[in-house]
Amino acid sequence: MDPNITPLNPIAFHLGGLEVHWYGIIIGFGILLGLYLAMREAARLSVDQNIIADLCIWAIPVSIICARIYYVIFEWGYYSEHPNEIIKIWNGGIAIHGALIGAVVTAIVFTRVKGGSFWKIADISAPSLILGQGIGRWGNFMNQEAHGGPVSRAFLENLHLPDWMINQMYINGTYYQPTFLYESLWDILGFIVLMLLRRAKMHRGEIFLSYLIWYSIGRFFIEGLRTDSLMLTSHIRMAQVVSVTLIIAAGIVWIYRRKTGLSSKLYGEQ
């Protein structure tokens, strides 16, 4: 152990007796920025911004709850013995695939009840989703989680990381690979790609499907480097199974919608 290296404090400040964690602040910032960008895009496409706002009122809490449930299910061995920890989401422990499932189901139900096109709303929201995910990974950084296997300090220095980031990857006497950073950068690059696709002649639904494919490709490979994966079996990582499933499913839906004419409208058309 190096006594000269002190991890960053995961608690941002205290509000009375309440501890406000950086994890929640960072995720909250990602959500708000994503909402702002989605509403601005909705306005540009002459889509009622209230639809986006109303959807978020439902989708955000449902997604957080689903993300926690998903995580707890695959860590039930621990939480069955510590049930008081289940609600302590501020300590980390949410799964983005759970959040994605919650968000998509909520959006499908919402658009069927309120009217409108799920695919149009999904296309508008896709860049916001992946940007929010990229920002949210920094919450994992503050909690010193979602990292890869042991590496040397020289390895991290060769990545040209600043000292404060390298020091945060020093956990219980060992340096770890910053897989949170890899995924954050992949997501931010994906955000740029999706923004560029908006200028191309993409059919309705294809920006959202592109998001699923892009994110899943990166997640599949990065997940293989992590040491804290949720496991389906002793050797199969759940996130990799879901990633492959999403890539295949998105590809099938893309081809089906093109061949049947369901995606005849271009992105942005009324």
Side-chain angles (χ1 to χ4, degrees):
M1 294 285 289
D2 187 341
N4 296 318
I5 297 179
T6 303
L8 298 173
N9 191 346
I11 300 173
F13 58 89
H14 290 81
L15 193 60
L18 179 66
E19 294 180 341
V20 180
H21 289 241
W22 280 113
Y23 184 85
I25 292 174
I26 292 170
I27 289 179
F29 173 73
I31 290 173
L32 290 175
L33 179 59
L35 174 60
Y36 166 75
L37 293 175
M39 291 184 69
R40 194 173 74 169
E41 179 66 5
R44 188 182 74 84
L45 298 179
S46 299
V47 174
D48 186 359
Q49 290 179 298
N50 290 326
I51 293 177
I52 302 296
D54 290 345
L55 172 58
C56 285
I57 289 173
W58 291 97
I60 290 172
V62 170
S63 296
I64 293 173
I65 292 170
C66 288
R68 184 60 170 177
I69 291 174
Y70 186 102
Y71 183 86
V72 169
I73 287 173
F74 288 100
E75 291 289 345
W76 185 243
Y78 173 81
Y79 287 106
S80 62
E81 297 179 359
H82 304 84
N84 61 308
E85 297 285 328
I86 291 177
I87 64 171
K88 294 183 179 180
I89 194 171
W90 50 87
N91 289 333
I94 59 175
I96 190 60
H97 281 135
L100 182 58
I101 292 169
V104 170
V105 171
T106 302
I108 291 173
V109 172
F110 181 88
T111 51
R112 286 187 176 181
V113 172
K114 297 291 187 179
S117 167
F118 162 77
W119 293 105
K120 189 171 188 177
I121 298 299
D123 279 343
I124 290 173
S125 304
S128 296
L129 288 172
I130 201 166
L131 179 61
Q133 290 171 229
I135 293 171
R137 279 301 174 196
W138 288 88
N140 297 130
F141 169 72
M142 293 301 300
N143 279 356
Q144 294 186 305
E145 60 190 10
H147 56 70
V151 294
S152 65
R153 185 178 181 93
F155 174 89
L156 298 175
E157 290 174 344
N158 287 336
L159 295 178
H160 304 290
L161 302 179
D163 283 342
W164 59 268
M165 190 181 297
I166 293 175
N167 292 343
Q168 187 69 356
M169 299 314 299
Y170 185 70
I171 306 168
N172 297 325
T174 303
Y175 289 99
Y176 289 94
Q177 193 157 194
T179 47
F180 86 91
L181 178 62
Y182 305 158
E183 187 170 331
S184 179
L185 294 176
W186 179 259
D187 290 346
I188 292 171
L189 179 58
F191 168 75
I192 295 171
V193 169
L194 294 182
M195 293 297 285
L196 292 175
L197 288 179
R198 281 180 171 175
R199 301 182 181 183
K201 291 184 178 181
M202 302 292 289
H203 288 221
R204 182 173 294 179
E206 292 177 355
I207 293 179
F208 177 69
L209 293 173
S210 296
Y211 152 69
L212 292 179
I213 293 170
W214 178 276
Y215 173 70
S216 297
I217 290 173
R219 181 63 186 272
F220 178 86
F221 289 103
I222 295 169
E223 190 68 21
L225 300 174
R226 287 178 56 172
T227 60
D228 60 346
S229 299
L230 298 176
M231 306 300 290
L232 181 61
T233 69
S234 59
H235 296 92
I236 300 177
R237 301 168 190 263
M238 190 61 199
Q240 290 185 314
V241 173
V242 175
S243 294
V244 171
T245 302
L246 287 176
I247 292 169
I248 295 172
I252 291 173
V253 171
W254 190 315
I255 294 170
Y256 175 77
R257 286 176 57 79
R258 277 288 184 112
K259 285 191 172 183
T260 59
L262 291 174
S263 61
S264 58
K265 290 186 178 182
L266 298 177
Y267 174 73
E269 288 185 349
Q270 297 299 318

